[in-house]
Amino acid sequence: MAIRPAEQLIHKAAWLYYAHGLRQDEVANQLNISRASVAMYLRKARETGIVNISTSTQLFTDDIMARRLEDALKLDAVWIAPENAYLADPSTDIAVLAASVFLELVRKGDRIGVAWGRTVYTIADIMSYADLQDVTVVQLCGNLGAPYSYRPDQCTMEIARRLNAKGLNFYAPLVLSTEELAQGLRAEPVIRDQLSGISDCDLALYSIGAVDADSHLVKCGALTAAEMAALRKEGAAGVIAGQIIDAGGELLDCSYNRRVISAGLASLRVIGKRLMVVQEDSKFEPLLAAIAGGLCTHLVVGAHMAQRLLDHAGASAEKAP
Amino acid sequence: MAIRPAEQLIHKAAWLYYAHGLRQDEVANQLNISRASVAMYLRKARETGIVNISTSTQLFTDDIMARRLEDALKLDAVWIAPENAYLADPSTDIAVLAASVFLELVRKGDRIGVAWGRTVYTIADIMSYADLQDVTVVQLCGNLGAPYSYRPDQCTMEIARRLNAKGLNFYAPLVLSTEELAQGLRAEPVIRDQLSGISDCDLALYSIGAVDADSHLVKCGALTAAEMAALRKEGAAGVIAGQIIDAGGELLDCSYNRRVISAGLASLRVIGKRLMVVQEDSKFEPLLAAIAGGLCTHLVVGAHMAQRLLDHAGASAEKAP
DNA sequence: CACGGCTCTCGACAAAAGTCAAATTTGGAT
DNA sequence: ATCCAAATTTGACTTTTGTCGAGAGCCGTG
């Protein structure tokens, strides 16, 4: 009588409890098991996505500032996490909000592109579970063998796991040492298919990286701090899906970019919903670049960043007649 | 200090509790209110649809019988409520399941047609709340001034209320005394618009009525028991959205139908998702008629009814070579 | 300006849910 | 065949949550 507690049993318990509104002990009676088991099944049901608990993110878009930002930056939707009004750690609040927004944007049957970074991994980590079997999560860029837990493939897999979706990983390094090798690898059928499949995505999730010595690209050894500084002088404004963009949001013409295996900006721009999440206030310029380049249609930021964006947009509008 | 507890506060509490996973007392501290108030806000949040708790209805479609029924009857999806395995009252189980399925089928921006009957009202009554502001719920058929609580307009309004959606009522009686009057009324701009708007629906929810003295049409005085019996002899097989259909699922050619103000069968067939819910085993023949007439693409029934449908389909298949 | 009626809030109790270590069962390995 | 490790179930205990009636602030009215 201790067979694998068939998914069926979890489902029945969840059904009686959440849909019918029975109490745990009533459910236990119905199913002839102890109440403790019911409690355990219910936890599993939540962790498996058999039951879904979601809170509307309406409040964060209802904000007047969010509306104005949507207009000023021509974005489809903006969510603003009210800093310091809620929790001790505001960055967590942004990630929690981003996870909710993400789940709200996902539709059954969708194909989702996921980039990488601390922000993306944090979101994956706190995201609640869902049951979206016919969803595919694809990795947007090559891998970086880093000691961190937010490697591109890990971000992809973790999100796929949370959604009960299929995860498609990228079996290639993010950066190669020569342009020839990168070109050759991009032509490989396996890689080519993955790259060309990116424009079929319905939704993309990424953050933006800063061009400084703290960048993951430096930490993971893809670039040295000196190289990064040099690129900055050449006009580098931000990092998206492992690639370096200039202030206009276009790919910077540099050797590094030519050696990268990642989703082309053109493929990204084709994706219908591009959700960008920015936690750090320091990423103001990189974010401006990404927006300028049309790399984001949906935006989740903190109140402080929102205010800066709005001020900036206002100033630009004055300058331009 | 006893101002209307702004929706904002409810939202904040729900956010901290459900999205961040804080305990009620932690939320109470954050917001500087008592834990009891937090508990109350959370209840309101659930009742308003600010938080959504839904359980996957997967199990009920996974059933082998459901799959076979989908094939045999050429339906898009079938859900089977396992009778007597669950609760004392099996009909409640069907309604709870139907409500979940309904909520699962609704999409933001949808237009939903709702008919009327005890079944539909039961579903509305147990349906959990959701926050779908841009959804419109339209009434599929004219009104019947009945002493019951499941008048067409009530079904529509209740569902609209649960979804936080707009409700569009039909300000016309279901049946008129002469065909001329009915024709004239149908030509009225207000009514005509409502009728023509029905084919724009994305989803319809209805049940099927039996052709007997217990029918709502008789109880509400639209027809006498004798008239009903006569119609039955003329080939009436079921009642859908207040109209009488024959065994082939086509409108029966009779005076009553010509005097009715309701959604034409053609308009209904245009709707993408037609969800039919049947609670009573006695409605076997009416259901067969509705299916034959292509009036249903999605079906929720009890296990017993499912078995009968399957047996019937098997028998028909044998007869036809 | 005092008065009910109203809604919101809180403290305290009761009910329900979560948790843990021990007991039981299973399936596979020796 | 027997034993071990892993997984599941349970009863007892603790923590968390739901609820009720009393009290307090607000508002329109007499």
Side-chain angles (χ1 to χ4, degrees):
Chain A
M1 216 219 261
I3 316 156
R4 164 159 253 286
E7 182 121 317
Q8 188 116 342
L9 205 49
I10 298 182
H11 208 305
K12 283 187 184 181
W15 186 251
L16 290 173
Y17 186 77
Y18 286 108
H20 280 274
L22 300 194
R23 284 191 320 255
Q24 291 192 356
D25 55 318
E26 295 181 299
V27 176
N29 283 345
Q30 285 282 333
L31 303 179
N32 278 317
I33 51 178
S34 79
R35 202 189 53 73
S37 296
V38 173
M40 196 203 54
Y41 288 160
L42 292 180
R43 179 157 32 78
K44 277 194 181 163
R46 285 186 299 261
E47 284 170 0
T48 331
I50 288 177
V51 316
N52 248 337
I53 303 186
S54 63
T55 53
S56 159
T57 59
Q58 196 70 37
L59 181 72
F60 303 100
T61 352
D62 271 1
D63 203 278
I64 307 134
M65 215 195 312
R67 286 280 160 75
R68 286 196 292 174
L69 258 185
E70 285 163 19
D71 289 350
L73 304 176
K74 306 255 186 306
L75 300 178
D76 290 347
V78 174
W79 289 262
I80 299 179
E83 258 140 41
N84 72 43
Y86 282 89
L87 280 177
D89 182 3
S91 76
T92 305
D93 210 47
I94 294 178
V96 171
L97 176 56
S100 286
V101 168
F102 176 78
L103 286 171
E104 216 165 80
L105 290 175
V106 180
R107 290 275 163 273
K108 280 190 182 174
D110 273 3
R111 188 182 179 86
I112 303 168
V114 169
W116 115 112
R118 197 181 40 75
T119 302
V120 172
Y121 192 78
T122 310
I123 293 170
D125 197 44
I126 53 155
M127 184 180 299
S128 60
Y129 295 79
D131 195 23
L132 300 163
Q133 282 127 343
D134 50 355
V135 161
T136 311
V137 181
V138 305
Q139 187 175 329
L140 286 179
C141 54
N143 273 307
L144 250 154
Y148 306 99
S149 61
Y150 43 87
R151 293 187 338 245
D153 59 329
Q154 297 214 344
C155 290
T156 310
M157 288 318 281
E158 182 58 23
I159 290 182
R161 193 173 73 82
R162 299 278 172 144
L163 301 180
N164 257 304
K166 282 198 298 283
L168 246 68
N169 280 112
F170 223 130
Y171 295 110
L174 176 61
V175 207
L176 298 165
S177 28
T178 72
E179 298 180 17
E180 288 72 33
L181 191 52
Q183 210 162 352
L185 199 52
R186 275 193 218 106
E188 270 299 307
V190 199
I191 307 295
R192 204 182 48 206
D193 290 353
Q194 173 104 13
L195 285 172
S196 68
I198 285 170
S199 35
D200 294 334
C201 285
D202 305 282
L203 171 63
L205 171 67
Y206 39 62
S207 187
I208 181 88
V211 182
D212 54 30
D214 279 344
S215 163
H216 302 330
L217 293 183
V218 175
K219 285 189 188 159
C220 299
L223 283 169
T224 65
E227 286 170 325
M228 200 56 139
L231 283 168
R232 194 185 174 85
K233 281 203 190 107
E234 286 174 40
V239 179
I240 189 158
Q243 295 157 102
I244 295 181
I245 57 171
D246 62 22
E250 296 300 333
L251 207 63
L252 191 73
D253 183 28
C254 62
S255 155
Y256 169 82
N257 272 342
R258 285 189 293 269
R259 290 183 286 118
V260 161
I261 309 274
S262 180
L265 298 188
S267 321
L268 293 179
R269 291 198 188 99
V270 172
I271 299 173
K273 291 172 281 186
R274 285 154 269 161
L275 176 60
M276 174 157 290
V277 183
V278 180
Q279 290 184 307
E280 301 89 342
D281 273 348
S282 61
K283 290 185 176 169
F284 179 62
E285 268 100 23
L287 177 53
L288 277 182
I291 294 173
L295 293 166
C296 128
T297 58
H298 300 243
L299 178 66
V300 176
V301 289
H304 192 230
M305 176 69 92
Q307 189 57 57
R308 281 179 75 181
L309 285 172
L310 211 46
D311 291 348
H312 175 86
S316 314
E318 271 174 43
K319 260 188 281 181
Chain B
M1 218 219 260
I3 315 156
R4 163 159 258 286
E7 181 121 317
Q8 186 116 341
L9 204 48
I10 299 182
H11 209 304
K12 282 187 183 180
W15 186 251
L16 291 173
Y17 186 76
Y18 286 107
H20 281 273
L22 300 194
R23 270 180 285 113
Q24 291 191 358
D25 52 333
E26 297 180 299
V27 176
N29 282 344
Q30 285 282 332
L31 303 179
N32 280 316
I33 50 178
S34 79
R35 201 190 54 70
S37 297
V38 173
M40 194 202 53
Y41 288 161
L42 293 180
R43 179 158 32 77
K44 278 197 181 161
R46 286 186 298 261
E47 284 171 358
T48 334
I50 288 178
V51 316
N52 247 339
I53 303 185
S54 63
T55 53
S56 158
T57 59
Q58 196 69 36
L59 180 73
F60 304 98
T61 350
D62 272 0
D63 203 278
I64 308 133
M65 214 196 312
R67 286 279 160 76
R68 287 196 291 174
L69 258 185
E70 285 164 18
D71 288 350
L73 303 175
K74 306 253 188 309
L75 299 179
D76 290 346
V78 174
W79 289 261
I80 300 179
E83 257 139 43
N84 71 42
Y86 283 89
L87 280 178
D89 181 4
S91 75
T92 305
D93 210 47
I94 294 178
V96 171
L97 176 56
S100 287
V101 168
F102 176 79
L103 286 171
E104 217 165 81
L105 291 175
V106 180
R107 291 275 163 275
K108 279 190 181 174
D110 272 5
R111 189 181 177 86
I112 303 167
V114 169
W116 115 113
R118 199 181 41 71
T119 302
V120 172
Y121 193 77
T122 311
I123 294 171
D125 198 43
I126 54 157
M127 181 179 301
S128 60
Y129 294 78
D131 195 23
L132 300 162
Q133 283 129 341
D134 50 354
V135 162
T136 311
V137 181
V138 305
Q139 188 175 330
L140 287 178
C141 55
N143 273 308
L144 251 154
Y148 306 100
S149 61
Y150 43 87
R151 296 188 334 248
D153 58 330
Q154 297 213 342
C155 291
T156 310
M157 288 319 281
E158 182 59 22
I159 291 183
R161 192 174 73 83
R162 299 276 172 148
L163 301 180
N164 259 306
K166 281 197 299 283
L168 245 68
N169 280 111
F170 222 129
Y171 294 111
L174 176 61
V175 206
L176 299 166
S177 26
T178 71
E179 299 180 17
E180 289 72 34
L181 192 53
Q183 209 162 353
L185 200 50
R186 275 193 218 106
E188 270 300 307
V190 199
I191 307 295
R192 204 182 49 206
D193 290 353
Q194 173 105 12
L195 285 173
S196 68
I198 285 170
S199 34
D200 294 334
C201 286
D202 305 281
L203 170 63
L205 170 68
Y206 37 62
S207 188
I208 180 88
V211 182
D212 56 29
D214 279 344
S215 163
H216 301 329
L217 294 183
V218 174
K219 285 190 188 160
C220 299
L223 284 168
T224 65
E227 285 171 327
M228 199 58 139
L231 283 168
R232 193 186 176 87
K233 282 204 189 104
E234 288 174 39
V239 179
I240 189 158
Q243 295 157 102
I244 295 181
I245 58 172
D246 62 23
E250 296 299 333
L251 207 63
L252 190 74
D253 184 28
C254 63
S255 155
Y256 169 82
N257 273 341
R258 285 189 293 270
R259 289 182 288 118
V260 161
I261 308 275
S262 183
L265 298 188
S267 322
L268 293 180
R269 290 197 189 100
V270 172
I271 299 174
K273 293 171 281 189
R274 285 152 272 161
L275 176 61
M276 175 158 289
V277 182
V278 181
Q279 291 183 305
E280 300 91 343
D281 273 348
S282 60
K283 290 187 175 168
F284 179 62
E285 269 100 23
L287 176 53
L288 277 182
I291 293 173
L295 293 166
C296 128
T297 59
H298 300 243
L299 178 65
V300 176
V301 290
H304 192 229
M305 175 70 91
Q307 189 58 57
R308 283 180 73 182
L309 286 171
L310 211 46
D311 292 347
H312 175 87
S316 313
E318 270 174 43
K319 259 187 283 180

